């Protein structure tokens, strides 16, 4: 199907400088998992590491702004599940591609019924949930999550908290939550990344200073390491490393500021 973008269904490959983080690997995966943090904290890497460690079938959907269209969203969601169960939701897929599209609630109910018929467990990742801003999609996801069949385990990554409540799941201990403070690199992880993955040969004091200046922000560490590989005076560079580093500002422009609306950019500029 030409309207399905296969790249959105592809599980991202692990980075070559992957730092193993057993403290974040679940002993048992929950029905619902939320990984929520700003850009550059390794949400996608963690989710892909999780599912690569699982023995159950796993499906992936990378969300973007185009998924705010209900047809686009449902077709890609069904296609993600069909990557593991090719015969899944033939009727739902037909409905979502029909010219006479039923209400999103009808598609959601049909999808839930089909999910309840899965012959074995499935882990589904919705990556970059913050890209969905249409209220009817938030309502549809909330409806699904409240009635999730036992065969399905859902992992969501997002830069912002979901627009729907997870309080009941939290109270019932069906929800695993991982936030910025959990994702920050510890001093030991900074040492492993810098000296084992990047082979920078930093002493303990420099590792600690770099961890302090980046506050464990993973992409900040990566960008610092990129500069350090071509820097003779590593101590001086780390001492003065800050948010005005060229690589840092490029990342913030591309991944943060350029993703904001014109009104929000104007507000930030005036503030």
């Amino acid at each position: 199907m030409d309207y399905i973008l296969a790249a959105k269904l592809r599980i991202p490959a692990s980075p070559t400088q992957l730092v193993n983080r057993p403290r974040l690997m679940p002993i048992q995966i929950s029905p619902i998992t939320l990984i929520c943090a700003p850009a550059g904290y390794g949400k996608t890497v963690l989710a892909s590491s999780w599912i690569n460690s699982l023995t159950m079938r796993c499906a992936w959907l990378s969300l973007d702004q185009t998924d705010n269209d209900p047809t686009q969203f449902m077709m890609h969601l069904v296609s993600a599940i069909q990557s593991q169960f090719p015969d899944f939701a033939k009727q739902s897929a037909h409905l979502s591609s029909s010219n006479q599209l039923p209400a999103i609630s009808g598609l959601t109910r049909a999808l839930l019924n089909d999910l309840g018929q899965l012959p074995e467990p499935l882990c589904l990742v919705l990556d970059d949930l913050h890209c969905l801003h249409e209220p009817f999609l938030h309502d549809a996801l909330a409806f699904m999550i409240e009635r999730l069949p036992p065969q399905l385990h859902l992992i969501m990554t997002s830069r912002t908290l979901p627009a729907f409540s997870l309080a009941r799941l939290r109270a019932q201990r069906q929800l695993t939550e991982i936030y910025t403070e959990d994702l920050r690199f510890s001093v030991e992880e900074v040492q492993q990344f810098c000296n084992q993955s990047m082979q920078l040969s930093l002493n303990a004091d420099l590792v600690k200073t770099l961890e302090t200046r980046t506050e464990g922000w993973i992409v900040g560490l990566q960008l610092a390491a990129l500069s350090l590989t071509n820097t003779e005076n590593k101590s001086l560079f780390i001492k003065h490393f800050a948010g005005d580093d060229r690589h840092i500002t490029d990342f913030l422009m591309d991944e943060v500021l350029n993703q904001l609306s014109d009104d929000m950019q104007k507000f930030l500029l005036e503030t």
Side-chain angles (χ1 to χ4, degrees), residues 151-264:
Q151 297 98 316
L152 188 65
H153 299 268
L154 181 63
I155 298 176
M156 302 176 291
T157 76
S158 180
R159 293 184 183 180
T160 58
L161 287 170
F164 45 87
S165 175
L166 298 171
R168 187 185 65 82
L169 294 169
R170 187 179 296 118
Q172 296 178 347
R173 298 187 177 182
Q174 294 183 301
L175 176 66
T176 295
E177 298 171 275
I178 295 180
Y179 293 107
T180 306
E181 55 270 24
D182 305 304
L183 292 170
R184 298 184 196 275
F185 266 24
S186 65
V187 174
E188 292 76 18
E189 289 165 342
V190 173
Q191 191 277 336
Q192 182 182 347
F193 172 73
C194 290
N195 292 341
Q196 296 182 27
S197 300
M198 299 300 295
Q199 299 183 338
L200 294 174
S201 301
L202 302 181
N203 62 40
D205 288 340
L206 289 179
V207 168
K208 175 58 180 174
T209 302
L210 189 58
E211 184 272 337
T212 299
R213 298 198 68 80
T214 61
E215 297 181 352
W217 183 38
I218 298 171
V219 80
L221 287 164
Q222 292 174 325
L223 296 174
L226 181 66
S227 296
L228 281 166
T229 55
N230 300 311
T231 300
E232 290 187 9
N233 192 333
K234 293 180 172 57
S235 178
L236 184 63
F237 174 87
I238 292 174
K239 180 180 178 181
H240 294 288
F241 181 73
D244 58 357
D245 179 84
R246 177 176 60 85
H247 296 304
I248 296 288
T249 54
D250 287 347
F251 176 84
L252 291 175
M253 286 296 296
D254 291 341
E255 292 296 324
V256 180
L257 292 178
N258 289 341
Q259 306 299 320
L260 300 176
S261 66
D262 291 341
D263 288 343
M264 181 58 74

Side-chain angles (χ1 to χ4, degrees), residues 33-173:
T33 299
L34 172 65
I35 306 173
C36 184
Y41 273 94
K43 301 180 296 295
T44 297
V45 171
L46 178 61
S48 62
S49 298
W50 274 11
I51 65 174
N52 284 329
S53 70
L54 298 176
T55 55
M56 72 175 73
R57 294 175 185 259
C58 298
W60 187 282
L61 175 56
S62 295
L63 299 168
D64 55 45
Q65 296 296 330
T66 64
D67 291 302
N68 284 284
D69 174 80
T71 305
Q72 164 95 355
F73 174 73
M74 280 296 182
M75 289 172 61
H76 278 88
L77 181 60
V78 169
S79 295
I81 300 171
Q82 286 177 342
S83 69
Q84 299 300 313
F85 298 97
D87 294 329
F88 172 79
K90 293 298 185 182
Q91 182 63 21
S92 299
H94 171 71
L95 287 173
S96 63
S97 61
S98 171
N99 291 329
Q100 297 180 334
L101 184 69
I104 188 73
S105 59
L107 287 173
T108 304
R109 285 180 170 84
L111 188 63
L112 275 172
N113 289 335
D114 289 324
L115 285 169
Q117 300 301 315
L118 288 179
E120 57 184 279
L122 172 70
C123 180
L124 171 65
V125 178
L126 298 181
D127 193 30
D128 287 341
L129 187 67
H130 58 271
C131 290
L132 300 184
H133 53 73
E134 290 293 344
F136 57 80
L137 288 177
H138 296 159
D139 292 343
L141 281 172
F143 185 86
M144 282 185 60
I145 288 172
E146 287 288 327
R147 297 159 179 82
L148 210 64
Q151 297 98 316
L152 188 65
H153 299 268
L154 181 63
I155 298 176
M156 302 176 291
T157 76
S158 180
R159 293 184 183 180
T160 58
L161 287 170
F164 45 87
S165 175
L166 298 171
R168 187 185 65 82
L169 294 169
R170 187 179 296 118
Q172 296 178 347
R173 298 187 177 182

